[in-house]
Amino acid sequence: QVQLVESGGGLVQAGGSLRVSCVASGRTFSTYRMGWFRQAPGKEREFVASIAWSSGSTFYAASVEGRFTISRDNMKNTVYLQMNSLKPEDTAAYYCTASIIRLSNVVRSTAWEHWGQGTQVTVSS
């Protein structure tokens, strides 16, 4: 049973930084791709970033590229999303996800299999 547990969300001022974490368990994730999505109230869940667990190759949404960095720690089975230069429009619940996906640019939420419960990030102006 795959379990993904997010943490690290909170309230930050515009221009600030925040790092959210996702601890993964229940499986050997070497063949998995890990991702972060976000969902604001009244909006669809949207892709943020993903990383291949084995190779570390990354892919970002255009809206966050250059500001956000996804990374993983194999020893801790943890995926991180470092968010810098935060904007009010980054306010959303952030969800960790995992799936066996070969391609890096899979951005449809329906293509991803396992999900965490989400952590709220609020950016004040």
Side-chain angles (χ1 to χ4, degrees):
Q1 182 90 4
V2 172
Q3 189 171 16
L4 305 172
V5 180
E6 302 100 330
S7 63
L11 174 64
V12 63
Q13 287 189 331
S17 298
L18 201 62
R19 188 179 77 166
V20 291
S21 305
C22 171
V23 178
S25 62
R27 197 71 57 89
T28 300
F29 290 94
S30 57
T31 60
Y32 277 69
R33 192 164 190 93
M34 309 296 292
W36 286 96
F37 279 71
R38 66 187 181 186
Q39 188 167 20
K43 294 189 176 181
E44 292 187 358
R45 192 167 293 191
E46 67 169 349
F47 173 83
V48 175
S50 68
I51 185 169
W53 196 278
S54 58
S55 69
S57 69
T58 58
F59 184 75
Y60 295 92
S63 59
V64 306
E65 190 155 20
R67 300 188 298 124
F68 291 10
T69 302
I70 188 171
S71 62
R72 87 273 191 246
D73 184 328
N74 290 346
M75 295 297 293
K76 296 182 178 180
N77 254 25
T78 300
V79 178
Y80 303 99
L81 184 69
Q82 176 67 43
M83 301 179 288
N84 298 328
S85 302
L86 282 161
K87 305 174 182 179
E89 51 263 44
D90 294 318
T91 295
Y94 282 71
Y95 295 91
C96 179
T97 184
S99 195
I100 298 178
I101 294 176
R102 300 284 184 238
L103 300 176
S104 62
N105 59 347
V106 177
V107 300
R108 291 178 296 111
S109 61
T110 54
W112 293 78
E113 183 176 2
H114 306 284
W115 294 88
Q117 82 288 352
T119 185
Q120 179 67 34
V121 173
T122 302
V123 184
S124 63
S125 56

